[in-house]
């Protein structure tokens, strides 16, 4: 991709860097954590200030796409629920305010300068992955980044699957533009390597889903079904997610309980406690970081009070905002898919975006996607994939 405006290019690097800044060292050094938070704060305030300026400059008129409006509604709902239930906001500031600001930034950027945005994210991810795999790894820096301690340079090992799948989407888009093919291949290899290196069930699940549907994509009937009936696939993923968090209540668990619990790294215990908490407040939940999940191993862990991470996107949503917030999020994802498909006519690009989203949501069965903003970056870029097809056709 050719980026002609170098000044604009540098500004985009500065704007997106805070959101892809590796936070592994934040677990060990408070100064590093504060610096990362400062970067996010400055970026978020700058984005919000710019949007306010544009609204004033346009005399209150501002066009917001339906998917972006849904993102805003989701976070406003989370804000209101948190304030009403907790009375204030403590840990939830980043979760509530940073993500919508990022989505506004990407939505506007992808409309006007799609090539530059993809190129910037590609470069930043390559740097992150190279440092994670070849510099700050468990062999050179075992004191901090031993995989058995669940921390990598880019962050907790649970993020590897999400940022890896995002990397694969960016790599595919770079490849589709037909200019920086070598760089796109490098990013794809680094993304897969990062997922494998993390040694998490989520990463392996994501890779297996992608591999299966890449093979199935050779059959026109299956590709056509995935492209034309993505909602059916999304509903299946949702139903499987609900079944999984209720797995201990099924006959299958009674027969293979120990195998299932071991395969899921003890997540069944977390889900049981989380479901009990949800049943106590099913409509609005507890607000952002409003409840702690305390399992039996919490007694001898560093944080013996428990943790908020539900290891399931659906359960996390139910705890954060009950059925209300979960419904808004599901509607938001569906709206992004519908809006993207309506504009995108290239069946190959559409199929790749669908299977990568399917892999992302499959990871969400065992991880809480809404705790990070990688899924929102993915959705924001997916919404403008029609620009990829347009540029490719133009160059061909």
């Amino acid at each position: 991709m050719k980026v002609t405006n170098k000044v604009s290019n540098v500004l985009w690097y500065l704007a997106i860097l805070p959101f892809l800044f590796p936070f592994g060292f934040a677990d060990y050094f408070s100064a590093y954590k504060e610096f990362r938070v400062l970067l996010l704060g400055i970026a978020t305030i700058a984005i919000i200030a710019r949007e306010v300026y544009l609204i004033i400059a346009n005399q209150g008129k501002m066009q917001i796409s339906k998917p972006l409006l849904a993102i805003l509604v989701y976070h406003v709902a989370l804000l209101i629920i948190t304030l009403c239930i907790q009375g204030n906001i403590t840990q939830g500031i980043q979760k509530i305010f940073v993500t919508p600001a990022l989505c506004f930034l990407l939505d506007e950027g992808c409309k006007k300068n799609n090539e530059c945005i993809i190129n910037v994210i590609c470069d930043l991810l390559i740097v992150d992955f190279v440092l994670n795999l070849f510099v700050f790894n468990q062999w050179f820096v075992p004191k901090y980044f031993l995989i058995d301690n669940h921390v990598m340079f880019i962050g907790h090992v649970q993020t590897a699957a999400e940022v890896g799948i995002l990397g694969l989407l960016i790599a595919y888009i770079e490849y589709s533009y037909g200019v920086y093919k070598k760089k796109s291949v490098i990013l794809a290899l680094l993304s897969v390597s990062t997922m494998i290196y993390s040694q998490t069930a989520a990463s392996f699940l994501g890779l297996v889903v992608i591999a299966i549907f890449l093979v199935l994509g050779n059959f026109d009937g299956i590709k056509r079904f995935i492209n034309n009936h993505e909602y059916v696939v999304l509903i299946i993923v949702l139903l499987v997610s609900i079944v999984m968090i209720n797995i201990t209540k099924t006959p299958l668990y009674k027969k293979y309980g120990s195998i299932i619990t071991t395969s899921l790294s003890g997540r069944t215990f977390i889900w049981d406690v989380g479901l009990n908490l949800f049943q106590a407040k099913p409509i609005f939940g507890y607000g952002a970081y409003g409840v702690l999940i305390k399992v039996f191993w919490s007694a001898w862990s560093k944080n013996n009070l428990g943790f908020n991470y539900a290891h399931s996107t659906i359960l996390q949503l139910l705890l954060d905002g009950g059925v209300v917030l979960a419904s808004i999020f599901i509607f938001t994802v569906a709206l992004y898919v519908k809006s993207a498909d309506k504009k995108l006519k290239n069946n190959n690009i559409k199929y790749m975006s669908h299977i990568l989203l399917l892999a992302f949501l499959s990871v969400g069965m065992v991880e809480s996607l809404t705790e990070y903003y990688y899924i929102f970056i993915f959705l924001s870029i997916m919404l403008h994939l029609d620009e990829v097809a347009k540029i490719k056709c133009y160059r061909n």
Side-chain angles (χ1 to χ4, degrees):
M1 279 182 277
K2 296 178 181 178
V3 182
T4 56
N5 192 329
K6 293 183 179 180
V7 175
S8 175
N9 195 21
V10 171
L11 290 176
W12 277 114
Y13 278 107
L14 294 176
I16 296 176
L17 174 61
F19 302 99
L20 294 178
F21 194 80
F23 50 94
F25 275 118
D27 283 9
Y28 305 103
F29 303 105
S30 58
Y32 187 94
K33 181 178 181 179
E34 291 169 1
F35 177 69
R36 177 177 175 269
V37 171
L38 177 63
L39 286 180
L40 278 175
I42 293 173
T44 302
I45 292 172
I47 294 169
I48 294 174
R50 185 175 185 277
E51 295 302 325
V52 171
Y53 168 77
L54 291 175
I55 292 174
I56 295 174
N58 294 319
Q59 299 180 339
K61 298 179 181 179
M62 185 176 182
Q63 290 186 343
I64 301 178
S65 65
K66 291 180 180 179
L68 188 59
L69 181 60
I71 286 286
L72 189 59
V73 170
Y74 167 83
H75 287 89
V76 168
L78 180 58
L79 171 63
I80 294 173
I81 290 171
T82 302
L83 287 175
C84 290
I85 292 176
Q86 299 179 24
N88 56 28
I89 304 173
T90 52
Q91 300 180 61
I93 292 178
Q94 290 187 42
K95 192 172 185 177
I96 295 172
F97 296 106
V98 173
T99 300
L102 173 60
C103 290
F104 268 91
L105 175 72
L106 291 176
D107 187 75
E108 184 176 349
C110 288
K111 286 179 183 176
K112 297 180 178 179
N113 206 345
N114 196 297
E115 291 183 83
C116 179
I117 297 295
I118 299 302
N119 187 64
V120 167
I121 296 177
C122 181
D123 289 344
L124 291 175
L125 287 178
I126 287 177
V127 172
D128 283 349
F129 289 153
V130 167
L131 291 175
N132 183 71
L133 292 169
F134 304 111
V135 181
F136 300 108
N137 58 40
Q138 64 176 344
W139 300 287
F140 294 162
V141 197
K143 181 179 178 181
Y144 300 116
F145 302 123
L146 192 66
I147 292 299
D148 289 342
N149 293 333
H150 307 299
V151 181
M152 302 187 300
F153 173 69
I154 60 173
H156 196 282
V157 291
Q158 66 204 15
T159 64
E162 300 173 42
V163 70
I165 294 173
L166 174 62
L168 289 174
L169 175 68
I170 299 298
Y172 181 76
I173 295 174
E174 276 279 16
Y175 191 86
S176 296
Y177 277 126
V179 178
Y180 290 153
K181 290 184 181 292
K182 291 183 179 179
K183 185 165 67 173
S184 67
V185 172
I186 290 172
L187 178 57
L189 291 174
L190 289 172
S191 298
V192 173
S193 298
T194 297
M195 295 172 74
I196 294 173
Y197 172 69
S198 70
Q199 300 177 35
T200 61
S203 288
F204 294 137
L205 174 61
L207 289 172
V208 167
V209 169
I210 293 170
I212 290 174
F213 281 92
L214 281 177
V215 174
L216 293 177
N218 293 314
F219 301 93
D220 291 338
I222 294 177
K223 177 184 283 189
R224 196 179 307 114
F225 178 84
I226 296 295
N227 279 350
N228 297 332
H229 303 284
E230 178 69 0
Y231 285 142
V232 176
V233 179
L234 295 180
I235 291 172
I236 292 173
V237 173
L238 175 61
L239 293 175
V240 172
S241 297
I242 294 173
V243 169
M244 284 188 68
I245 59 177
N246 287 277
I247 192 69
T248 59
K249 299 176 180 62
T250 65
L252 180 67
Y253 185 78
K254 293 179 181 178
K255 191 173 182 180
Y256 304 104
S258 60
I259 297 175
I260 294 173
T261 298
T262 302
S263 300
L264 293 171
S265 302
R267 284 177 172 83
T268 53
F269 298 111
I270 298 172
W271 295 338
D272 281 347
V273 175
L275 281 174
N276 289 333
L277 293 169
F278 159 67
Q279 289 167 5
K281 290 189 175 183
I283 306 301
F284 296 108
Y286 299 85
Y289 301 103
V291 68
L292 296 176
I293 300 172
K294 190 172 182 178
V295 289
F296 67 87
W297 62 78
S298 297
W300 59 79
S301 65
K302 183 173 62 175
N303 186 4
N304 55 20
L305 295 177
F307 48 87
N308 180 261
Y309 193 80
H311 289 83
S312 164
T313 301
I314 289 298
L315 184 55
Q316 190 72 56
L317 289 164
L318 293 174
L319 293 177
D320 287 347
V323 174
V324 171
L325 191 68
S327 300
I328 295 173
F329 180 80
I330 293 168
F331 174 78
T332 299
V333 174
L335 190 57
Y336 265 93
V337 173
K338 179 182 178 181
S339 300
D341 286 357
K342 187 176 180 180
K343 296 189 295 182
L344 187 58
K345 305 302 179 184
N346 186 302
N347 287 326
N348 290 328
I349 296 176
K350 182 184 290 187
Y351 184 73
M352 280 301 301
S353 68
H354 283 175
I355 66 173
L356 287 173
L357 177 61
L358 176 59
F360 224 128
L361 297 179
S362 296
V363 168
M365 295 179 185
V366 294
E367 301 291 357
S368 302
L369 299 181
T370 53
E371 289 301 285
Y372 304 97
Y373 29 74
Y374 301 117
I375 182 63
F376 296 102
I377 296 176
F378 186 99
L379 292 172
S380 297
I381 293 172
M382 186 183 75
L383 185 62
H384 298 284
L385 283 178
D386 58 309
E387 299 298 329
V388 179
K390 289 178 183 177
I391 293 173
K392 185 176 181 180
C393 291
Y394 172 78
R395 283 178 175 155
N396 291 339

